[in-house]
Amino acid sequence: TPIRQIPATSTTLDYPFGIAVDSGQNIYIANAANILVFSSTANGNLAPARTITWSNSQFGLALYGVAVDTDGDIFAATYGCPPLTAIPCTSSSQILQFAPDSNGAATPTNVLTILPNANFPNSNTTAQGIAVDGAGNLYTQVTTITNLILPGGSGLGVPEAEALSVEVFTLGQTGSSAPAQTITWTALTESGPWGGLAIH
């Protein structure tokens, strides 16, 4: 039994996926097209203490990960193409950085674009889980959908095969700069881990 619970009844929770806490134990939730922030003692049906939004019409309902560094900066990973997007969909994800205590409509202080997978340049590359270490290095879990199953010729697809990696960016990287490090593995080929990433 959870010791506390924040249900969706009156909290504006829509599609909560990623979750993070800051040094004060405040709770950050990647919630479709916004970031919801709850206090460290939040419990029950209550509104968030803060709601962070931005101009994100390019991506639609698109948040899959959130992280907070030791300075309180907030990082959000956007989904490259919304679920069930008609193919072809070749957008790449971005990582948006927001200043501490951001609230309401906010402008990112930094935007980092995840480059397409060189082996699959015409595929959808998506950043999902995201984490920051004590030195400010940024880690993001990246999935490239390499093949789609087309149900009934509808023009919509679901992932059949994926290329998986963890990309590492150093403090201050911006724009379409290549990751400082890319970690890949071959143990998972048909479907990969979605959304979860942590630094110990």
Side-chain angles (χ1 to χ4, degrees):
T1 302
I3 59 173
R4 290 186 288 127
Q5 186 175 6
I6 305 174
T9 307
S10 61
T11 61
T12 68
L13 284 173
D14 179 28
Y15 188 62
F17 206 95
I19 187 169
V21 295
D22 63 16
S23 59
Q25 299 301 303
N26 297 298
I27 304 164
Y28 296 74
I29 298 175
N31 181 56
N34 56 34
I35 300 169
L36 305 182
V37 186
F38 293 89
S39 74
S40 60
T41 58
N43 189 29
N45 292 330
L46 75 170
R50 291 185 282 144
T51 299
I52 303 169
T53 61
W54 61 96
S55 176
N56 61 344
S57 58
Q58 178 183 357
F59 298 100
L61 301 180
L63 267 189
Y64 256 49
V66 64
V68 185
D69 68 12
T70 55
D71 294 325
D73 289 292
I74 305 158
F75 300 84
T78 67
Y79 193 91
C81 294
L84 297 182
T85 300
I87 59 171
C89 178
T90 58
S91 297
S92 289
S93 290
Q94 290 183 323
I95 296 176
L96 311 178
Q97 180 178 350
F98 297 94
D101 300 322
S102 291
N103 191 21
T107 300
T109 58
N110 189 32
V111 177
L112 184 64
T113 298
I114 304 300
L115 296 173
N117 188 312
N119 295 319
F120 307 97
N122 297 317
S123 298
N124 174 23
T125 299
T126 297
Q128 297 159 11
I130 186 172
V132 187
D133 66 18
N137 297 305
L138 185 66
Y139 300 74
T140 185
Q141 176 188 340
V142 175
T143 298
T144 297
I145 298 175
T146 61
N147 193 23
L148 293 175
I149 301 172
L150 301 180
S154 65
L156 301 178
V158 294
E160 180 185 42
E162 302 166 345
L164 310 171
S165 65
V166 172
E167 296 188 1
V168 186
F169 298 90
T170 57
L171 180 66
Q173 281 192 250
T174 189
S176 299
S177 55
Q181 182 182 4
T182 299
I183 304 168
T184 60
W185 62 95
T186 57
L188 299 172
T189 57
E190 292 303 315
S191 61
W194 283 71
L197 182 66
I199 301 297
H200 175 65

